[in-house]
C-alpha cells in the first residue's frame, strides 16, 4: 500500500509526544502531514480533506456518522490539564451579565466552558469568539478562554487574574477526566484495514517511543515551541493520550452534559475501530 494517508496534526505541544517518532522517521509510515489549530483540522476533516486526524471531541459527536475513532488515542487530562484556561478579572461566580471572549481555535473547550458556566458556576455571561490574543480579549471582555500553546504561553503572566484550569474544574464537578480531542478516521478510509492497522500501530509505537525518550521530547519542544522547560514537562505530565474505559465513560458524561443544555442533539455511540466493528 503506498497511497499516502492525509494525516492531521494539531500544532500544539499536546501532540508532540505522539507525533515525534513519526515526524522524525523513527517510526516509518507513509503520510502527508497537515498542521493546524483544532478548529482548522475539524473543518478539513468534515470537508473530506483529511483521512485521519485529531479533532475536537465535540465535533466527533456532531459528525459521528462520518467517522470512526482510532483506538487508544486522545488528548485528555484527569484533573489539571495546564493548557485550557479561563482567565478572568472577576471570580467566575461573578461573571453573570459580563462579557467573556473565547478563542476561535477551540470547539470542545467552548462547550465545556458553557457547561461549567451553566451548571457549576450558574452564571450567564455574554459570549464572544475572538482570535487567541489575551490582551485584546481582556480589553473587549472581563474574561477570556484560551487553549493549547496560547494558554501555556500566558499561564505565567496572569498572576493578577483569577485563573481556572478547566480540566480541574470539570474534575471537581464530575469526578471524571476530560477528553478534549479524539483521533478520527474518515468512513471511506476504513475500507483499507491494512492501511488503518499500519497507522494505529505507528501511533502506538511513536507514543511508546515518546514515553521512553521524554528528555529528547522536552529538548525538541524547547526549541520549537519556545516555552520554559519546566512548563513543558509539567504539561507533558498532565496530558494523557489514552482512551480506555475510564476515559470513554468520561467522554460520554461530557456528551450527556452538553446534550442536557442543548449543545448537542444526542449522545453518540463511540464507534472505535477494531472494537467488533470492521475486519
Ligand atoms: C488539552 C488541549 O486539548 C485541545 C482542545 C481542543 C478544543 O477545545 O476543541 C481540541 C484539541 C486539543 O488541542 C489543548 O489544546 O491544550
Amino acid at each position: 500500500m503506498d497511497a499516502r494517508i492525509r494525516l492531521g496534526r494539531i500544532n500544539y505541544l499536546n501532540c508532540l509526544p505522539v507525533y515525534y517518532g513519526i515526524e522524525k522517521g523513527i517510526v516509518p509510515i507513509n503520510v502527508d502531514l497537515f498542521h493546524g489549530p483544532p478548529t482548522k483540522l475539524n473543518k478539513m476533516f468534515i470537508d473530506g480533506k483529511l483521512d485521519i486526524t485529531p479533532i475536537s471531541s465535540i465535533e466527533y459527536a456532531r459528525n459521528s456518522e462520518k467517522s470512526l475513532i482510532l483506538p487508544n488515542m486522545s488528548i485528555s487530562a484527569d484533573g489539571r490539564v495546564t493548557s485550557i484556561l479561563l482567565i478572568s478579572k472577576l471570580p467566575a461566580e461573578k461573571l453573570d451579565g459580563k462579557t467573556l471572549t473565547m478563542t476561535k481555535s477551540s470547539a470542545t473547550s467552548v462547550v465545556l466552558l458553557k457547561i461549567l458556566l451553566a451548571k457549576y458556576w450558574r452564571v450567564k455571561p455574554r459570549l464572544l469568539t475572538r482570535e487567541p490574543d489575551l490582551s485584546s480579549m481582556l480589553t473587549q471582555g472581563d474574561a477570556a478562554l484560551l487553549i493549547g500553546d496560547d494558554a501555556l504561553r500566558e499561564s505565567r503572566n496572569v498572576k493578577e487574574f483569577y485563573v481556572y484550569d478547566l480540566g480541574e474544574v470539570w474534575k471537581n464537578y464530575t469526578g471524571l477526566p476530560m477528553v478534549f480531542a479524539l483521533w478520527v478516521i474518515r468512513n471511506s478510509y476504513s475500507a483499507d484495514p491494512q492501511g488503518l492497522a499500519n497507522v494505529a500501530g505507528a501511533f502506538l509505537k511513536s507514543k511508546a517511543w515518546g514515553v521512553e525518550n521524554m528528555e529528547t521530547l522536552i529538548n525538541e519542544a524547547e526549541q520549537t515551541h519556545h516555552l520554559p522547560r519546566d512548563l513543558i514537562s509539567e504539561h507533558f505530565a498532565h496530558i494523557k493520550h489514552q482512551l480506555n474505559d475510564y476515559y470513554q465513560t468520561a467522554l460520554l458524561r461530557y456528551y450527556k452534559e452538553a446534550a442536557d443544555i442543548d449543545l448537542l442533539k444526542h449522545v453518540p455511540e463511540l464507534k472505535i475501530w477494531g472494537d467488533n466493528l470492521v475486519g
Side-chain angles (χ1 to χ4, degrees):
M1 269 278 146
D2 49 0
R4 291 178 75 87
I5 301 151
R6 298 171 303 169
L7 181 65
R9 194 309 195 182
I10 296 173
N11 55 4
Y12 295 156
L13 195 55
N14 60 30
C15 271
L16 185 77
V18 284
Y19 280 82
Y20 186 89
I22 292 173
E23 287 173 324
K24 297 289 177 185
I26 298 159
V27 177
I29 180 133
N30 217 2
V31 292
D32 284 329
L33 275 178
F34 295 83
H35 296 245
T39 42
K40 180 175 173 198
L41 299 184
N42 295 348
K43 178 156 183 356
M44 285 181 77
F45 181 74
I46 289 155
D47 292 347
K49 293 179 180 153
L50 293 172
D51 299 312
I52 299 180
T53 186
I55 63 169
S56 301
S57 54
I58 195 72
E59 285 298 335
Y60 168 76
R62 291 171 177 154
N63 296 280
S64 60
E65 76 294 346
K66 289 194 184 143
S67 51
L68 288 175
I69 299 170
L70 194 73
N72 308 309
M73 294 287 289
S74 77
I75 300 173
S76 301
D78 193 7
R80 203 164 155 240
V81 54
T82 75
S83 59
I84 308 286
L85 300 179
L86 175 67
I87 299 160
S88 178
K89 296 176 193 167
L90 304 165
E93 299 79 8
K94 301 229 163 98
L95 285 172
D96 208 28
K98 304 286 181 195
T99 301
L100 197 163
T101 52
M102 306 183 297
T103 171
K104 68 169 205 177
S105 303
S106 162
T108 295
S109 306
V110 163
V111 169
L112 172 62
L113 176 63
K114 289 179 180 173
I115 293 168
L116 296 173
L117 289 169
K119 296 188 160 197
Y120 186 77
W121 289 307
R122 297 172 185 277
V123 291
K124 206 170 181 335
R126 184 167 75 108
L127 301 175
L128 303 175
T129 303
R130 290 291 179 267
E131 293 290 333
D133 177 72
L134 185 64
S135 65
S136 98
M137 289 168 100
L138 287 180
T139 308
Q140 297 174 64
D142 304 289
L145 171 70
L146 286 178
I147 73 163
D149 287 23
D150 303 316
L152 291 172
R153 214 155 266 130
E154 296 294 353
S155 60
R156 302 252 165 112
N157 311 325
V158 287
K159 299 228 169 14
E160 73 269 36
F161 298 114
Y162 296 86
V163 180
Y164 300 90
D165 181 311
L166 296 194
E168 197 170 15
V169 181
W170 170 257
K171 177 97 188 188
N172 289 340
Y173 173 50
T174 60
L176 290 168
M178 177 65 207
V179 180
F180 293 95
L182 296 169
W183 269 252
V184 285
I185 306 157
R186 196 162 55 86
N187 265 348
S188 52
Y189 192 76
S190 61
D192 176 9
Q194 187 55 53
L196 261 179
N198 290 345
V199 176
F203 270 119
L204 284 189
K205 282 191 204 128
S206 184
K207 186 160 83 164
W209 192 93
V211 171
E212 292 290 311
N213 294 275
M214 196 45 77
E215 283 301 301
T216 309
L217 294 186
I218 295 171
N219 292 341
E220 169 81 7
E222 254 189 313
Q223 287 177 29
T224 52
H225 292 253
H226 312 290
L227 291 164
R229 201 176 172 83
D230 60 326
L231 188 61
I232 295 167
S233 32
E234 202 183 2
H235 184 60
F236 285 166
H238 286 88
I239 287 286
K240 310 290 176 208
H241 294 103
Q242 47 195 287
L243 192 58
N244 59 24
D245 287 349
Y246 181 52
Y247 286 86
Q248 290 176 37
T249 302
L251 180 57
L252 290 170
R253 171 67 184 272
Y254 166 71
Y255 289 156
K256 184 182 171 306
E257 294 282 339
D260 275 356
I261 55 169
D262 295 327
L263 296 174
L264 196 56
K265 286 202 192 85
H266 65 277
V267 174
E269 182 194 343
L270 301 183
K271 291 180 293 167
I272 301 177
W273 179 75
D275 265 9
N276 309 317
L277 266 171
V278 278

